[in-house]
Amino acid sequence: MKLEPLKIKAQKEVKSAKNLKELDGLYKKYLGKKSEITQILRSLKDLPEKERKKQGRLANQIKKEIQSVLELQKNKFQVPRPTSPEDEVFGGRASSKFQEKEFDITAPGKKIILGHLHPLTIVRKEIEEIFQNMGFSIVEGPEVETEWYAFDALNIPKDHPARDVWDTLWLKPKAKSQKLLLRPHTSPVQIRYMEKNQPPFRILAPGRVFRHEATDASHEVQFHQVEGLMIGKNVSVANFKAVAKEFFQRFFNKEIKIRTRPGYFPFTEPSFEIDVQCVICNGKGCSTCSQTGWLELWPGGMVHPNVLKAEGLNPKNWQGFAFGMGLDRMAMMKYKINDIRLFYSSDLRFLEQF
Ligand code: DAH
């Protein structure tokens, strides 16, 4: 066939192609190895030079034109997507890899699942913010502690049951070095902070703690505490109670009644338990507060003189209060969660509610 009519025929067929598969066939028909154009180009070598040049130019021109209509038509069918060598359909190796899929631009997109913070993280951040607004700084301490920071410096006697293997998870000692353990409370952070900083100060130390404990709805081998410490010249029990009340009201977002009971901790004297009127039943008595109307939420007290002395502070010049509340328990109260183990179970049915 003559070149010009060949081009016209090709153009017509390409334009009426209905899909990529048909187009692929036309590519082979008009530009493939066995196509007329290829044959013509191959046979050029047998022509006299003058004729060869003329025919060659024309054949190449026609080839390009056919190629460009094919290309144009292909773009109409194809889904726009990033190109890779594999996608070089025309003139390339993968000429039969046309994508047939139609692209429905009206179809709803795939929903991207967004992650979010864990409920304990949400509550920790909230608590941190309330205390930061009251002038407290957030500090951290290690989860692997020495016996000194976890017990001795906190005035906890050698025979105190907390040091027992039943409460504390001890780590295998390295030679004769200090005995190491997984901290059973965040109180060691008080000591580490006092060692390096001079009062006055207000700090809050949230963190993970570990206990050798049988698990149930209110006990886990790992949980979280938030330690607080405020030391100054005239810090009193009144300050302690004011900070506690203010914190609870901001945290639960309502008027809260608190009460102070005597307690015992080796590192505070006097020691207290600050109770909060049950936020579930408003003090009427329910299963959460064991019908008492009160929730035990804040153990604390005035820092024991021996603890101050162990850090080189003169108890005549400095005094203050400390406390250690359970972060998990606060979150349970806030969100009315009845089992602490839910926080650690990675169950999306639970986690996706926050
Ligand atoms: N560390 C104590 C515990 O885990 C809680 C505590 C009580 C912390 C009194 C304090 C405090 O700072 O003054 O049970």
Side-chain angles (χ1 to χ4, degrees):
M1 197 187 268
K2 283 269 176 333
L3 282 164
E4 202 54 36
L6 180 72
K7 182 181 91 178
I8 292 165
K9 186 165 176 264
Q11 281 173 334
K12 216 168 129 193
E13 281 180 35
V14 168
K15 277 182 190 150
S16 58
K18 286 186 205 67
N19 51 39
L20 286 171
K21 204 170 174 189
E22 270 185 45
L23 215 53
D24 192 24
L26 292 174
Y27 169 79
K28 280 190 194 129
K29 180 173 171 189
Y30 287 104
L31 301 174
K33 272 186 205 148
K34 290 186 185 144
S35 68
E36 241 172 291
I37 282 271
T38 310
Q39 302 298 332
I40 291 170
L41 287 168
R42 267 199 202 128
S43 62
L44 286 177
K45 61 180 188 316
D46 305 327
L47 296 175
E49 196 185 332
K50 223 173 151 195
E51 192 64 6
R52 187 180 346 142
K53 275 192 181 160
K54 195 176 150 214
Q55 283 294 325
R57 211 173 296 128
L58 189 63
N60 274 317
Q61 171 69 22
I62 299 290
K63 186 179 174 183
K64 261 191 208 146
E65 284 175 34
I66 296 178
Q67 230 162 9
S68 80
V69 275
L70 276 163
E71 198 72 48
L72 216 72
Q73 194 71 0
K74 180 190 83 171
N75 289 343
K76 282 191 198 156
F77 291 131
Q78 255 181 345
V79 177
R81 65 201 157 102
T83 50
S84 72
E86 293 289 289
D87 292 334
E88 291 272 322
V89 177
F90 285 88
R93 292 164 287 136
S95 63
S96 60
K97 282 195 182 168
F98 276 132
Q99 296 241 327
E100 274 262 2
K101 262 192 198 154
E102 302 253 324
F103 183 66
D104 179 1
I105 54 160
T106 64
K110 261 195 195 151
K111 201 170 172 197
I112 296 167
I113 300 167
L114 287 181
H116 59 82
L117 296 178
H118 189 279
L120 287 175
T121 310
I122 298 173
V123 171
R124 174 174 58 73
K125 282 171 162 281
E126 231 175 282
I127 295 176
E128 284 176 1
E129 198 178 316
I130 296 172
F131 276 95
Q132 279 173 318
N133 286 336
M134 291 196 277
F136 284 71
S137 314
I138 312 299
V139 302
E140 282 188 338
E143 289 175 356
V144 171
E145 264 300 359
T146 64
E147 193 174 12
W148 164 258
Y149 287 108
F151 299 124
D152 298 302
L154 285 161
N155 199 37
I156 298 175
K158 283 268 181 247
D159 58 356
H160 193 282
R163 300 206 191 199
D164 230 342
V165 281
W166 298 113
D167 269 349
T168 299
L169 291 153
W170 295 91
L171 300 173
K172 255 193 189 149
K174 263 196 198 162
K176 275 198 184 127
S177 66
Q178 277 255 37
K179 273 165 90 180
L180 294 177
L181 50 99
L182 290 178
R183 64 177 179 190
H185 56 176
T186 43
S187 302
V189 189
Q190 291 184 31
I191 306 300
R192 289 186 175 272
Y193 191 83
M194 282 194 273
E195 225 173 45
K196 295 213 170 78
N197 297 276
Q198 277 302 309
F201 46 64
R202 294 169 216 189
I203 57 159
L204 195 78
R208 200 150 56 132
V209 298
F210 308 86
R211 293 207 187 153
H212 191 289
E213 198 131 43
T215 58
D216 61 28
S218 44
H219 296 89
E220 253 293 5
V221 285
Q222 61 161 345
F223 54 101
H224 295 78
Q225 287 188 336
V226 182
E227 192 79 15
L229 175 70
M230 177 170 177
I231 302 283
K233 295 261 182 218
N234 299 305
V235 180
S236 69
V237 178
N239 296 121
F240 185 24
K241 288 170 71 175
V243 167
K245 191 171 163 74
E246 186 62 27
F247 164 71
F248 283 118
Q249 299 201 145
R250 290 196 199 178
F251 184 75
F252 289 112
N253 226 344
K254 60 178 179 182
E255 181 71 28
I256 294 276
K257 272 205 186 109
I258 62 166
R259 73 175 183 188
T260 312
R261 283 183 296 120
Y264 170 73
F265 300 102
F267 33 95
T268 44
E269 181 59 36
S271 303
F272 308 114
E273 294 284 351
I274 295 192
D275 298 343
V276 171
Q277 194 172 58
C278 183
V279 288
I280 311 284
C281 63
N282 289 325
K284 287 188 194 77
C286 66
S287 60
T288 307
C289 59
S290 313
Q291 311 304 330
T292 61
W294 295 92
L295 301 167
E296 262 182 51
L297 288 183
W298 250 37
M302 303 306 288
V303 179
H304 198 292
N306 287 351
V307 174
L308 294 170
K309 275 189 224 156
E311 294 318 308
L313 298 176
N314 185 345
K316 290 210 175 84
N317 298 336
W318 300 106
Q319 60 183 11
F321 63 81
F323 59 85
M325 69 176 136
L327 177 64
D328 308 64
R329 192 149 151 75
M330 294 298 293
M332 287 167 84
M333 289 302 138
K334 179 136 194 164
Y335 295 123
K336 304 189 171 56
I337 295 164
N338 59 9
D339 195 323
I340 189 173
R341 292 169 293 190
L342 286 167
F343 290 130
Y344 305 96
S345 63
S346 302
D347 187 338
L348 289 180
R349 287 169 305 176
F350 168 71
L351 294 174
E352 279 173 357
Q353 295 176 51
F354 297 91

